Each structure stands twice: as structure tokens, then as C-alpha cells.
Amino acid sequence: MTVLRTHFLAALFAVLLVPGLTLLAPGRAGTLPNVNEVVSVQMTVEPVGQKLHIHVTGAAGQVGVVRMALLPLGGSSLVFMDVPFTLTAAGNHTWITDLVNFEVWPAFDCVAQVLTTSNDGSIQYSDPWGLRMRRYPLAQVAGIPLPSGGATSIPMPGTTTPLFPVTWTAIQGRALGSTSYECLIFATAVPGIEGVLPVN
């Protein structure tokens, strides 16, 4: 890894951790997820294939939806999207999409949560998972090859343990309403680390 690339990645990760300004900002007031949930969702991004993965686990054959609440940066109205699923005999399902599909979207914060129905007809909710996308001029990442990214584990703000997984990816995508290009940066983690939305 070149010195320039190393310095860029270190600077980028430092910027990502600035609360309220960037990708990794406090948003869950230190509340930790319930590790005993019946159904769970996790999102990851990966730089090589430039993909978003949404992975659901639960009981074999379980059906439901991944409800995604998306807030465009600077907006005040949430957009909701439901992605239906049926879990396999192994109790999992993965939905994958290309990150470049998001080049037509403004920067956003998103929280995903699984909704399923229990045997008694009540609705079960998973703990949430967050996805954040930001846009930067290519001049700010000049000399750095895209795509790039990685995975790490960090604690909630103000704590040292436990650690939670974070993935991030930077790709080149078309600028909104333009034929030029920008750097699109994506990060996934539990809300409170990447700070997509306050979740109680």
C-alpha cells in the first residue's frame, strides 16, 4: 500500500468518526442491540464487487419483509421500502444489489429492520441495522484508486467494549444531474456507530 493511500485511508477514517458531520456519528445514545432476537438483519458493503448485502437470519421457512426507512440528507420526510423474503431451510436469506444503483440517489441515511409474524399473530421486529451514503468531489480523493474500502470493529461512542462490525466502501458514481463523476462512500453498522438515525 502506498504512503499516499495509507494517509488517505487514515484521514478518511478519521473524518468518518466526526459526530454529526460524517458517516460514523452517534445516533443511538449508546443503546446496545438485543443479542437474543428471534430474527435478525445485517447489512454489509464490499469494495471488490461493489455490492450491498442484506442478510436475514431466523427460523427455517420464516417469511417477512426487510423494512428500510431512508432519509435523504437535508430532507425531513422518510421514504419506506419493503424487501420481502422467505428464509431457506437453513434459516437465512441474502439480498444483493450493486452499489452503483445508488448513483441516482442523493446522499442518505437508512435504517433497516426485519418485520415478521409470530405463531400468535403478533409482529416481531429485529434490532435495526444502518446504512449511510455520502458524496464527495473526486478532487478530494485525487490519486486514490476507486473502489476502496474495508471492514473493522469499533465500540459504541464513549465505550470500549463490546465491539461491533463496520464495513465501508468508496466507489466512483455519476454525480446527480450531471455527466461528471463523484466519490460515493457507503458505511454500514448498528445505529449508534454509523449514526444513521436515532433509534429507540
Side-chain angles (χ1 to χ4, degrees):
M1 183 179 292
T2 67
V3 172
L4 177 62
R5 183 175 174 82
T6 302
H7 286 138
F8 167 76
L9 294 177
L12 175 62
F13 199 69
V15 168
L16 297 181
L17 292 170
V18 178
L21 176 64
T22 58
L23 293 170
L24 306 178
R28 204 177 180 200
T31 303
L32 301 180
N34 174 10
V35 297
N36 297 315
E37 60 186 341
V38 176
V39 62
S40 67
V41 63
Q42 181 176 5
M43 294 191 288
T44 59
V45 290
E46 48 101 1
V48 177
Q50 301 181 43
K51 306 284 188 185
L52 166 66
H53 299 250
I54 301 176
H55 187 69
V56 180
T57 56
Q62 194 170 17
V63 298
V65 297
V66 177
R67 175 153 296 163
M68 303 179 77
L70 188 144
L71 180 66
L73 186 64
S76 58
S77 297
L78 285 172
V79 176
F80 291 94
M81 296 177 292
D82 286 350
V83 180
F85 66 84
T86 300
L87 298 185
T88 65
N92 59 61
H93 177 81
T94 301
W95 179 71
I96 302 172
T97 190
D98 293 326
L99 290 172
V100 74
N101 291 334
F102 294 102
E103 69 179 2
V104 298
W105 295 23
F108 64 83
D109 296 337
C110 176
V111 166
Q113 193 171 31
V114 172
L115 283 70
T116 60
T117 305
S118 65
N119 291 336
D120 63 6
S122 63
I123 301 295
Q124 293 177 323
Y125 299 89
S126 73
D127 281 319
W129 204 267
L131 167 68
R132 178 169 277 195
M133 187 264 275
R134 292 293 184 266
R135 295 173 164 272
Y136 297 94
L138 287 178
Q140 289 187 10
V141 295
I144 306 301
L146 297 176
S148 63
T152 188
S153 295
I154 59 177
M156 288 285 178
T159 67
T160 56
T161 58
L163 301 180
F164 297 93
V166 175
T167 63
W168 69 272
T169 300
I171 69 168
Q172 181 173 288
R174 199 173 301 276
L176 290 176
S178 172
T179 57
S180 63
Y181 287 87
E182 291 181 325
C183 174
L184 309 183
I185 299 181
F186 300 84
T188 69
V190 296
I193 292 178
E194 50 56 276
V196 292
L197 287 174
V199 177
N200 297 321

